Amino acid sequence: MKKIVTVPNPVLKKEALTVEKIDKSTKELVDELWSALTHSQIEGVGIAAPQIGELSRVFILREGKDDFQEYINPEIVWFSENIGTGKTRKGDVFLEG
């Protein structure tokens, strides 16, 4: 299992790369993300590939105790006006506190 990297690790400031082909290595990355999320001492609802040191545009969100949804090459098409106001829920594993 890969270790979760946290702030101020420089990998978290780098731009993740587009996944060009979904193949066995992509599935293995998703499995690594799930393993890191479920075995972490830090509780979170999701984790992205850069958080385990992989610069790929992949993340997963927990949808239950033993289930998750994976996202590959996601794009932000809308964002809340509440971002940064304290009205949003923090659940990302590297944003402790």
Side-chain angles (χ1 to χ4, degrees):
M1 179 176 74
K2 293 191 178 199
K3 184 180 177 196
I4 294 175
V5 298
T6 57
V7 173
N9 190 307
V11 74
L12 298 173
K13 292 195 175 229
K14 294 183 179 179
E15 186 174 340
L17 304 172
T18 299
V19 175
E20 297 294 334
K21 181 178 177 186
I22 298 173
D23 56 16
K24 182 179 177 184
S25 65
T26 311
K27 170 69 171 131
E28 290 169 353
L29 175 57
V30 169
D31 290 345
E32 281 285 339
L33 288 167
W34 181 244
S35 181
L37 182 62
T38 57
H39 293 96
S40 171
Q41 300 268 338
I42 305 167
E43 264 196 52
V45 295
I47 187 169
Q51 293 170 267
I52 60 169
E54 296 287 334
L55 284 177
S56 294
R57 293 184 57 208
V58 177
F59 74 93
I60 64 168
L61 290 178
R62 188 186 301 261
E63 291 194 334
K65 184 178 182 221
D66 296 317
D67 196 23
F68 65 91
Q69 177 66 45
E70 67 267 8
Y71 297 85
I72 300 170
N73 297 327
E75 293 184 25
I76 298 172
V77 295
W78 177 87
F79 65 92
S80 171
E81 301 272 328
N82 292 330
I83 291 177
T85 65
K87 296 178 184 175
T88 56
R89 180 175 156 202
K90 289 183 184 176
D92 198 312
V93 296
F94 84 96
L95 296 174
E96 298 182 55

mmCIF file of all heavy atoms in Angstrom, residues 2-14 16 33 36-38 40-56 58-62 89-97:
data_model
loop_
_atom_site.group_PDB
_atom_site.id
_atom_site.type_symbol
_atom_site.label_atom_id
_atom_site.label_comp_id
_atom_site.label_asym_id
_atom_site.label_seq_id
_atom_site.Cartn_x
_atom_site.Cartn_y
_atom_site.Cartn_z
ATOM 1 N N LYS A 2 0.511 2.203 -0.832
ATOM 2 C CA LYS A 2 1.278 3.449 -0.904
ATOM 3 C C LYS A 2 0.908 4.356 0.264
ATOM 4 O O LYS A 2 -0.231 4.374 0.715
ATOM 5 C CB LYS A 2 1.021 4.150 -2.224
ATOM 6 C CG LYS A 2 1.562 3.371 -3.392
ATOM 7 C CD LYS A 2 1.532 4.183 -4.641
ATOM 8 C CE LYS A 2 2.143 3.356 -5.759
ATOM 9 N NZ LYS A 2 2.552 4.158 -6.870
ATOM 10 N N LYS A 3 1.896 5.128 0.696
ATOM 11 C CA LYS A 3 1.701 6.065 1.790
ATOM 12 C C LYS A 3 1.020 7.336 1.284
ATOM 13 O O LYS A 3 1.304 7.814 0.187
ATOM 14 C CB LYS A 3 3.059 6.412 2.398
ATOM 15 C CG LYS A 3 2.976 7.304 3.589
ATOM 16 C CD LYS A 3 4.350 7.605 4.141
ATOM 17 C CE LYS A 3 4.188 8.582 5.293
ATOM 18 N NZ LYS A 3 5.418 9.214 5.667
ATOM 19 N N ILE A 4 0.108 7.881 2.087
ATOM 20 C CA ILE A 4 -0.551 9.135 1.742
ATOM 21 C C ILE A 4 0.416 10.278 1.994
ATOM 22 O O ILE A 4 1.038 10.364 3.049
ATOM 23 C CB ILE A 4 -1.836 9.317 2.576
ATOM 24 C CG1 ILE A 4 -2.855 8.253 2.189
ATOM 25 C CG2 ILE A 4 -2.409 10.721 2.379
ATOM 26 C CD1 ILE A 4 -4.108 8.261 3.024
ATOM 27 N N VAL A 5 0.563 11.136 0.996
ATOM 28 C CA VAL A 5 1.407 12.323 1.147
ATOM 29 C C VAL A 5 0.528 13.483 1.594
ATOM 30 O O VAL A 5 -0.637 13.572 1.221
ATOM 31 C CB VAL A 5 2.186 12.661 -0.142
ATOM 32 C CG1 VAL A 5 3.120 11.539 -0.523
ATOM 33 C CG2 VAL A 5 1.267 12.963 -1.301
ATOM 34 N N THR A 6 1.083 14.357 2.419
ATOM 35 C CA THR A 6 0.311 15.467 2.962
ATOM 36 C C THR A 6 1.035 16.784 2.697
ATOM 37 O O THR A 6 2.201 16.809 2.311
ATOM 38 C CB THR A 6 0.102 15.297 4.479
ATOM 39 O OG1 THR A 6 1.361 15.179 5.128
ATOM 40 C CG2 THR A 6 -0.737 14.053 4.789
ATOM 41 N N VAL A 7 0.322 17.870 2.919
ATOM 42 C CA VAL A 7 0.890 19.212 2.809
ATOM 43 C C VAL A 7 2.050 19.305 3.790
ATOM 44 O O VAL A 7 1.917 18.842 4.917
ATOM 45 C CB VAL A 7 -0.209 20.257 3.127
ATOM 46 C CG1 VAL A 7 0.357 21.656 3.194
ATOM 47 C CG2 VAL A 7 -1.345 20.170 2.126
ATOM 48 N N PRO A 8 3.208 19.753 3.408
ATOM 49 C CA PRO A 8 3.581 20.569 2.255
ATOM 50 C C PRO A 8 4.300 19.796 1.150
ATOM 51 O O PRO A 8 5.087 20.397 0.420
ATOM 52 C CB PRO A 8 4.519 21.589 2.892
ATOM 53 C CG PRO A 8 5.275 20.797 3.910
ATOM 54 C CD PRO A 8 4.237 19.812 4.450
ATOM 55 N N ASN A 9 4.044 18.519 0.965
ATOM 56 C CA ASN A 9 4.715 17.741 -0.073
ATOM 57 C C ASN A 9 4.529 18.420 -1.434
ATOM 58 O O ASN A 9 3.396 18.711 -1.843
ATOM 59 C CB ASN A 9 4.155 16.317 -0.112
ATOM 60 C CG ASN A 9 4.969 15.409 -0.985
ATOM 61 O OD1 ASN A 9 5.234 15.710 -2.138
ATOM 62 N ND2 ASN A 9 5.366 14.279 -0.437
ATOM 63 N N PRO A 10 5.610 18.694 -2.166
ATOM 64 C CA PRO A 10 5.524 19.425 -3.437
ATOM 65 C C PRO A 10 4.722 18.709 -4.523
ATOM 66 O O PRO A 10 4.213 19.363 -5.442
ATOM 67 C CB PRO A 10 6.981 19.622 -3.853
ATOM 68 C CG PRO A 10 7.777 18.670 -3.050
ATOM 69 C CD PRO A 10 6.985 18.374 -1.809
ATOM 70 N N VAL A 11 4.565 17.409 -4.453
ATOM 71 C CA VAL A 11 3.794 16.691 -5.474
ATOM 72 C C VAL A 11 2.346 17.189 -5.492
ATOM 73 O O VAL A 11 1.689 17.172 -6.535
ATOM 74 C CB VAL A 11 3.857 15.155 -5.281
ATOM 75 C CG1 VAL A 11 3.023 14.682 -4.108
ATOM 76 C CG2 VAL A 11 3.415 14.435 -6.552
ATOM 77 N N LEU A 12 1.853 17.685 -4.362
ATOM 78 C CA LEU A 12 0.471 18.148 -4.282
ATOM 79 C C LEU A 12 0.249 19.475 -5.002
ATOM 80 O O LEU A 12 -0.887 19.866 -5.244
ATOM 81 C CB LEU A 12 0.033 18.258 -2.817
ATOM 82 C CG LEU A 12 0.044 16.937 -2.055
ATOM 83 C CD1 LEU A 12 -0.240 17.173 -0.589
ATOM 84 C CD2 LEU A 12 -0.941 15.957 -2.655
ATOM 85 N N LYS A 13 1.322 20.149 -5.366
ATOM 86 C CA LYS A 13 1.204 21.418 -6.105
ATOM 87 C C LYS A 13 1.412 21.236 -7.605
ATOM 88 O O LYS A 13 1.244 22.177 -8.371
ATOM 89 C CB LYS A 13 2.209 22.430 -5.563
ATOM 90 C CG LYS A 13 1.860 22.869 -4.158
ATOM 91 C CD LYS A 13 2.616 24.098 -3.793
ATOM 92 C CE LYS A 13 2.150 24.557 -2.437
ATOM 93 N NZ LYS A 13 1.826 25.943 -2.419
ATOM 94 N N LYS A 14 1.771 20.040 -8.021
ATOM 95 C CA LYS A 14 2.003 19.785 -9.441
ATOM 96 C C LYS A 14 0.698 19.449 -10.148
ATOM 97 O O LYS A 14 -0.235 18.928 -9.547
ATOM 98 C CB LYS A 14 3.000 18.636 -9.608
ATOM 99 C CG LYS A 14 4.381 18.995 -9.108
ATOM 100 C CD LYS A 14 5.351 17.880 -9.362
ATOM 101 C CE LYS A 14 6.736 18.290 -8.869
ATOM 102 N NZ LYS A 14 7.711 17.219 -9.079
ATOM 103 N N ALA A 16 -1.668 17.315 -12.292
ATOM 104 C CA ALA A 16 -1.812 15.890 -12.607
ATOM 105 C C ALA A 16 -1.985 15.714 -14.112
ATOM 106 O O ALA A 16 -2.508 16.591 -14.806
ATOM 107 C CB ALA A 16 -3.005 15.310 -11.864
ATOM 108 N N LEU A 33 -5.756 3.551 -4.493
ATOM 109 C CA LEU A 33 -6.460 4.660 -3.865
ATOM 110 C C LEU A 33 -7.443 4.143 -2.815
ATOM 111 O O LEU A 33 -7.518 4.665 -1.702
ATOM 112 C CB LEU A 33 -7.192 5.504 -4.907
ATOM 113 C CG LEU A 33 -6.310 6.369 -5.803
ATOM 114 C CD1 LEU A 33 -7.110 6.909 -6.979
ATOM 115 C CD2 LEU A 33 -5.686 7.496 -5.007
ATOM 116 N N ALA A 36 -5.531 2.880 0.192
ATOM 117 C CA ALA A 36 -5.009 3.991 0.994
ATOM 118 C C ALA A 36 -6.122 4.666 1.783
ATOM 119 O O ALA A 36 -5.948 5.009 2.955
ATOM 120 C CB ALA A 36 -4.306 5.007 0.090
ATOM 121 N N LEU A 37 -7.278 4.853 1.154
ATOM 122 C CA LEU A 37 -8.403 5.517 1.823
ATOM 123 C C LEU A 37 -8.947 4.676 2.971
ATOM 124 O O LEU A 37 -9.208 5.190 4.052
ATOM 125 C CB LEU A 37 -9.519 5.808 0.809
ATOM 126 C CG LEU A 37 -10.741 6.548 1.338
ATOM 127 C CD1 LEU A 37 -10.371 7.931 1.868
ATOM 128 C CD2 LEU A 37 -11.805 6.657 0.254
ATOM 129 N N THR A 38 -9.086 3.391 2.757
ATOM 130 C CA THR A 38 -9.714 2.542 3.779
ATOM 131 C C THR A 38 -8.758 2.136 4.890
ATOM 132 O O THR A 38 -9.206 1.767 5.970
ATOM 133 C CB THR A 38 -10.338 1.289 3.146
ATOM 134 O OG1 THR A 38 -9.338 0.565 2.431
ATOM 135 C CG2 THR A 38 -11.476 1.658 2.221
ATOM 136 N N SER A 40 -6.225 4.173 6.000
ATOM 137 C CA SER A 40 -5.599 5.373 6.540
ATOM 138 C C SER A 40 -6.081 5.649 7.956
ATOM 139 O O SER A 40 -7.215 5.362 8.306
ATOM 140 C CB SER A 40 -5.948 6.574 5.647
ATOM 141 O OG SER A 40 -5.532 7.767 6.258
ATOM 142 N N GLN A 41 -5.192 6.221 8.764
ATOM 143 C CA GLN A 41 -5.562 6.681 10.097
ATOM 144 C C GLN A 41 -6.408 7.948 9.998
ATOM 145 O O GLN A 41 -7.096 8.316 10.926
ATOM 146 C CB GLN A 41 -4.300 6.974 10.912
ATOM 147 C CG GLN A 41 -3.402 5.778 11.095
ATOM 148 C CD GLN A 41 -3.717 5.026 12.369
ATOM 149 O OE1 GLN A 41 -4.281 5.575 13.282
ATOM 150 N NE2 GLN A 41 -3.337 3.772 12.416
ATOM 151 N N ILE A 42 -6.324 8.624 8.856
ATOM 152 C CA ILE A 42 -7.060 9.859 8.624
ATOM 153 C C ILE A 42 -8.386 9.487 7.965
ATOM 154 O O ILE A 42 -8.399 8.797 6.957
ATOM 155 C CB ILE A 42 -6.266 10.799 7.679
ATOM 156 C CG1 ILE A 42 -4.867 11.048 8.217
ATOM 157 C CG2 ILE A 42 -7.007 12.104 7.462
ATOM 158 C CD1 ILE A 42 -3.937 11.680 7.211
ATOM 159 N N GLU A 43 -9.494 9.924 8.532
ATOM 160 C CA GLU A 43 -10.780 9.634 7.906
ATOM 161 C C GLU A 43 -11.052 10.614 6.791
ATOM 162 O O GLU A 43 -10.838 11.804 6.939
ATOM 163 C CB GLU A 43 -11.893 9.698 8.942
ATOM 164 C CG GLU A 43 -12.206 8.335 9.475
ATOM 165 C CD GLU A 43 -13.523 8.294 10.201
ATOM 166 O OE1 GLU A 43 -14.545 8.735 9.633
ATOM 167 O OE2 GLU A 43 -13.508 7.821 11.325
ATOM 168 N N GLY A 44 -11.527 10.110 5.687
ATOM 169 C CA GLY A 44 -11.838 10.975 4.571
ATOM 170 C C GLY A 44 -12.921 10.366 3.711
ATOM 171 O O GLY A 44 -13.195 9.176 3.789
ATOM 172 N N VAL A 45 -13.538 11.179 2.870
ATOM 173 C CA VAL A 45 -14.567 10.687 1.960
ATOM 174 C C VAL A 45 -14.016 10.481 0.553
ATOM 175 O O VAL A 45 -14.688 9.920 -0.294
ATOM 176 C CB VAL A 45 -15.799 11.625 1.904
ATOM 177 C CG1 VAL A 45 -16.505 11.669 3.234
ATOM 178 C CG2 VAL A 45 -15.415 13.012 1.442
ATOM 179 N N GLY A 46 -12.797 10.934 0.326
ATOM 180 C CA GLY A 46 -12.218 10.777 -0.998
ATOM 181 C C GLY A 46 -10.724 10.953 -0.969
ATOM 182 O O GLY A 46 -10.146 11.417 0.011
ATOM 183 N N ILE A 47 -10.097 10.534 -2.064
ATOM 184 C CA ILE A 47 -8.647 10.658 -2.205
ATOM 185 C C ILE A 47 -8.321 10.719 -3.698
ATOM 186 O O ILE A 47 -8.984 10.071 -4.518
ATOM 187 C CB ILE A 47 -7.914 9.490 -1.509
ATOM 188 C CG1 ILE A 47 -6.405 9.716 -1.505
ATOM 189 C CG2 ILE A 47 -8.291 8.155 -2.129
ATOM 190 C CD1 ILE A 47 -5.646 8.745 -0.611
ATOM 191 N N ALA A 48 -7.330 11.528 -4.034
ATOM 192 C CA ALA A 48 -6.893 11.681 -5.419
ATOM 193 C C ALA A 48 -5.513 11.061 -5.607
ATOM 194 O O ALA A 48 -4.731 10.957 -4.652
ATOM 195 C CB ALA A 48 -6.852 13.166 -5.792
ATOM 196 N N ALA A 49 -5.223 10.673 -6.828
ATOM 197 C CA ALA A 49 -3.953 10.018 -7.141
ATOM 198 C C ALA A 49 -2.724 10.789 -6.658
ATOM 199 O O ALA A 49 -1.798 10.176 -6.114
ATOM 200 C CB ALA A 49 -3.864 9.722 -8.629
ATOM 201 N N PRO A 50 -2.653 12.128 -6.813
ATOM 202 C CA PRO A 50 -1.472 12.834 -6.306
ATOM 203 C C PRO A 50 -1.241 12.651 -4.804
ATOM 204 O O PRO A 50 -0.122 12.764 -4.331
ATOM 205 C CB PRO A 50 -1.761 14.297 -6.657
ATOM 206 C CG PRO A 50 -2.624 14.208 -7.874
ATOM 207 C CD PRO A 50 -3.511 13.018 -7.600
ATOM 208 N N GLN A 51 -2.309 12.333 -4.071
ATOM 209 C CA GLN A 51 -2.184 12.147 -2.629
ATOM 210 C C GLN A 51 -1.473 10.846 -2.255
ATOM 211 O O GLN A 51 -1.136 10.637 -1.097
ATOM 212 C CB GLN A 51 -3.548 12.217 -1.966
ATOM 213 C CG GLN A 51 -4.136 13.617 -2.064
ATOM 214 C CD GLN A 51 -5.576 13.647 -1.641
ATOM 215 O OE1 GLN A 51 -6.465 13.516 -2.464
ATOM 216 N NE2 GLN A 51 -5.788 13.797 -0.359
ATOM 217 N N ILE A 52 -1.246 9.990 -3.250
ATOM 218 C CA ILE A 52 -0.407 8.818 -3.017
ATOM 219 C C ILE A 52 0.825 8.877 -3.917
ATOM 220 O O ILE A 52 1.464 7.879 -4.193
ATOM 221 C CB ILE A 52 -1.165 7.478 -3.170
ATOM 222 C CG1 ILE A 52 -1.742 7.302 -4.579
ATOM 223 C CG2 ILE A 52 -2.229 7.324 -2.097
ATOM 224 C CD1 ILE A 52 -2.265 5.900 -4.863
ATOM 225 N N GLY A 53 1.134 10.096 -4.385
ATOM 226 C CA GLY A 53 2.347 10.313 -5.162
ATOM 227 C C GLY A 53 2.243 10.019 -6.644
ATOM 228 O O GLY A 53 3.254 9.998 -7.338
ATOM 229 N N GLU A 54 1.029 9.794 -7.154
ATOM 230 C CA GLU A 54 0.824 9.496 -8.575
ATOM 231 C C GLU A 54 0.220 10.710 -9.263
ATOM 232 O O GLU A 54 -0.870 11.147 -8.904
ATOM 233 C CB GLU A 54 -0.119 8.303 -8.735
ATOM 234 C CG GLU A 54 0.410 7.009 -8.171
ATOM 235 C CD GLU A 54 1.519 6.411 -9.000
ATOM 236 O OE1 GLU A 54 1.579 6.665 -10.218
ATOM 237 O OE2 GLU A 54 2.326 5.682 -8.424
ATOM 238 N N LEU A 55 0.895 11.256 -10.257
ATOM 239 C CA LEU A 55 0.409 12.453 -10.944
ATOM 240 C C LEU A 55 -0.541 12.098 -12.086
ATOM 241 O O LEU A 55 -0.269 12.351 -13.258
ATOM 242 C CB LEU A 55 1.578 13.294 -11.451
ATOM 243 C CG LEU A 55 2.295 14.087 -10.383
ATOM 244 C CD1 LEU A 55 3.489 14.821 -10.960
ATOM 245 C CD2 LEU A 55 1.347 15.065 -9.710
ATOM 246 N N SER A 56 -1.666 11.500 -11.729
ATOM 247 C CA SER A 56 -2.705 11.143 -12.695
ATOM 248 C C SER A 56 -4.012 11.798 -12.277
ATOM 249 O O SER A 56 -4.279 11.968 -11.086
ATOM 250 C CB SER A 56 -2.921 9.625 -12.722
ATOM 251 O OG SER A 56 -1.782 8.975 -13.222
ATOM 252 N N VAL A 58 -7.021 11.135 -11.469
ATOM 253 C CA VAL A 58 -7.902 10.078 -10.984
ATOM 254 C C VAL A 58 -8.191 10.350 -9.521
ATOM 255 O O VAL A 58 -7.292 10.696 -8.761
ATOM 256 C CB VAL A 58 -7.242 8.677 -11.120
ATOM 257 C CG1 VAL A 58 -8.126 7.591 -10.542
ATOM 258 C CG2 VAL A 58 -6.885 8.378 -12.569
ATOM 259 N N PHE A 59 -9.461 10.204 -9.118
ATOM 260 C CA PHE A 59 -9.788 10.240 -7.702
ATOM 261 C C PHE A 59 -10.977 9.332 -7.442
ATOM 262 O O PHE A 59 -11.666 8.915 -8.369
ATOM 263 C CB PHE A 59 -10.041 11.666 -7.195
ATOM 264 C CG PHE A 59 -11.338 12.291 -7.595
ATOM 265 C CD1 PHE A 59 -12.456 12.201 -6.780
ATOM 266 C CD2 PHE A 59 -11.446 13.009 -8.773
ATOM 267 C CE1 PHE A 59 -13.658 12.804 -7.140
ATOM 268 C CE2 PHE A 59 -12.631 13.626 -9.138
ATOM 269 C CZ PHE A 59 -13.751 13.516 -8.316
ATOM 270 N N ILE A 60 -11.166 8.996 -6.169
ATOM 271 C CA ILE A 60 -12.311 8.189 -5.773
ATOM 272 C C ILE A 60 -13.045 8.889 -4.642
ATOM 273 O O ILE A 60 -12.453 9.636 -3.862
ATOM 274 C CB ILE A 60 -11.916 6.751 -5.348
ATOM 275 C CG1 ILE A 60 -11.040 6.750 -4.099
ATOM 276 C CG2 ILE A 60 -11.245 6.011 -6.494
ATOM 277 C CD1 ILE A 60 -10.857 5.369 -3.482
ATOM 278 N N LEU A 61 -14.347 8.630 -4.557
ATOM 279 C CA LEU A 61 -15.183 9.118 -3.465
ATOM 280 C C LEU A 61 -15.878 7.924 -2.838
ATOM 281 O O LEU A 61 -16.429 7.070 -3.537
ATOM 282 C CB LEU A 61 -16.244 10.103 -3.969
ATOM 283 C CG LEU A 61 -15.765 11.461 -4.430
ATOM 284 C CD1 LEU A 61 -16.947 12.286 -4.937
ATOM 285 C CD2 LEU A 61 -15.064 12.201 -3.309
ATOM 286 N N ARG A 62 -15.863 7.902 -1.512
ATOM 287 C CA ARG A 62 -16.538 6.834 -0.776
ATOM 288 C C ARG A 62 -18.050 7.012 -0.920
ATOM 289 O O ARG A 62 -18.574 8.103 -0.775
ATOM 290 C CB ARG A 62 -16.132 6.910 0.691
ATOM 291 C CG ARG A 62 -16.596 5.764 1.524
ATOM 292 C CD ARG A 62 -16.279 5.994 2.989
ATOM 293 N NE ARG A 62 -14.877 6.166 3.266
ATOM 294 C CZ ARG A 62 -14.068 5.207 3.715
ATOM 295 N NH1 ARG A 62 -14.527 4.002 3.932
ATOM 296 N NH2 ARG A 62 -12.811 5.471 3.969
ATOM 297 N N ARG A 89 -18.189 21.087 3.339
ATOM 298 C CA ARG A 89 -17.722 19.957 4.134
ATOM 299 C C ARG A 89 -16.320 19.572 3.709
ATOM 300 O O ARG A 89 -16.056 19.389 2.532
ATOM 301 C CB ARG A 89 -18.672 18.788 3.910
ATOM 302 C CG ARG A 89 -18.316 17.564 4.674
ATOM 303 C CD ARG A 89 -19.402 16.527 4.460
ATOM 304 N NE ARG A 89 -18.845 15.219 4.691
ATOM 305 C CZ ARG A 89 -19.353 14.122 4.221
ATOM 306 N NH1 ARG A 89 -20.428 14.160 3.487
ATOM 307 N NH2 ARG A 89 -18.795 12.969 4.478
ATOM 308 N N LYS A 90 -15.413 19.436 4.674
ATOM 309 C CA LYS A 90 -14.058 18.973 4.373
ATOM 310 C C LYS A 90 -14.027 17.474 4.602
ATOM 311 O O LYS A 90 -14.381 16.988 5.649
ATOM 312 C CB LYS A 90 -13.033 19.646 5.284
ATOM 313 C CG LYS A 90 -12.822 21.100 4.968
ATOM 314 C CD LYS A 90 -11.755 21.676 5.866
ATOM 315 C CE LYS A 90 -11.604 23.153 5.620
ATOM 316 N NZ LYS A 90 -10.654 23.764 6.530
ATOM 317 N N GLY A 91 -13.575 16.755 3.609
ATOM 318 C CA GLY A 91 -13.497 15.315 3.760
ATOM 319 C C GLY A 91 -12.309 14.723 3.050
ATOM 320 O O GLY A 91 -12.162 13.538 2.930
ATOM 321 N N ASP A 92 -11.439 15.559 2.552
ATOM 322 C CA ASP A 92 -10.263 15.116 1.828
ATOM 323 C C ASP A 92 -9.220 14.641 2.815
ATOM 324 O O ASP A 92 -8.968 15.298 3.816
ATOM 325 C CB ASP A 92 -9.742 16.292 1.003
ATOM 326 C CG ASP A 92 -8.825 15.855 -0.092
ATOM 327 O OD1 ASP A 92 -7.931 15.063 0.198
ATOM 328 O OD2 ASP A 92 -9.008 16.309 -1.230
ATOM 329 N N VAL A 93 -8.589 13.508 2.558
ATOM 330 C CA VAL A 93 -7.701 12.924 3.560
ATOM 331 C C VAL A 93 -6.450 13.723 3.856
ATOM 332 O O VAL A 93 -5.884 13.565 4.920
ATOM 333 C CB VAL A 93 -7.307 11.466 3.196
ATOM 334 C CG1 VAL A 93 -8.505 10.572 3.204
ATOM 335 C CG2 VAL A 93 -6.580 11.398 1.884
ATOM 336 N N PHE A 94 -5.988 14.601 2.979
ATOM 337 C CA PHE A 94 -4.766 15.313 3.303
ATOM 338 C C PHE A 94 -5.029 16.678 3.939
ATOM 339 O O PHE A 94 -4.116 17.358 4.361
ATOM 340 C CB PHE A 94 -3.804 15.410 2.107
ATOM 341 C CG PHE A 94 -4.071 16.540 1.150
ATOM 342 C CD1 PHE A 94 -3.378 17.736 1.280
ATOM 343 C CD2 PHE A 94 -4.961 16.399 0.110
ATOM 344 C CE1 PHE A 94 -3.595 18.770 0.389
ATOM 345 C CE2 PHE A 94 -5.173 17.420 -0.782
ATOM 346 C CZ PHE A 94 -4.502 18.613 -0.636
ATOM 347 N N LEU A 95 -6.289 17.080 4.035
ATOM 348 C CA LEU A 95 -6.629 18.327 4.698
ATOM 349 C C LEU A 95 -7.044 18.025 6.136
ATOM 350 O O LEU A 95 -8.214 17.964 6.452
ATOM 351 C CB LEU A 95 -7.762 19.059 3.963
ATOM 352 C CG LEU A 95 -7.432 19.516 2.553
ATOM 353 C CD1 LEU A 95 -8.659 20.090 1.886
ATOM 354 C CD2 LEU A 95 -6.316 20.564 2.573
ATOM 355 N N GLU A 96 -6.050 17.785 6.973
ATOM 356 C CA GLU A 96 -6.354 17.451 8.363
ATOM 357 C C GLU A 96 -6.875 18.649 9.115
ATOM 358 O O GLU A 96 -6.496 19.770 8.854
ATOM 359 C CB GLU A 96 -5.088 16.929 9.053
ATOM 360 C CG GLU A 96 -4.559 15.668 8.412
ATOM 361 C CD GLU A 96 -3.358 15.152 9.147
ATOM 362 O OE1 GLU A 96 -3.460 14.932 10.362
ATOM 363 O OE2 GLU A 96 -2.319 14.973 8.497
ATOM 364 N N GLY A 97 -7.729 18.371 10.114
ATOM 365 C CA GLY A 97 -8.218 19.436 11.001
ATOM 366 C C GLY A 97 -9.384 20.041 10.494
ATOM 367 O O GLY A 97 -10.239 20.533 10.236
#
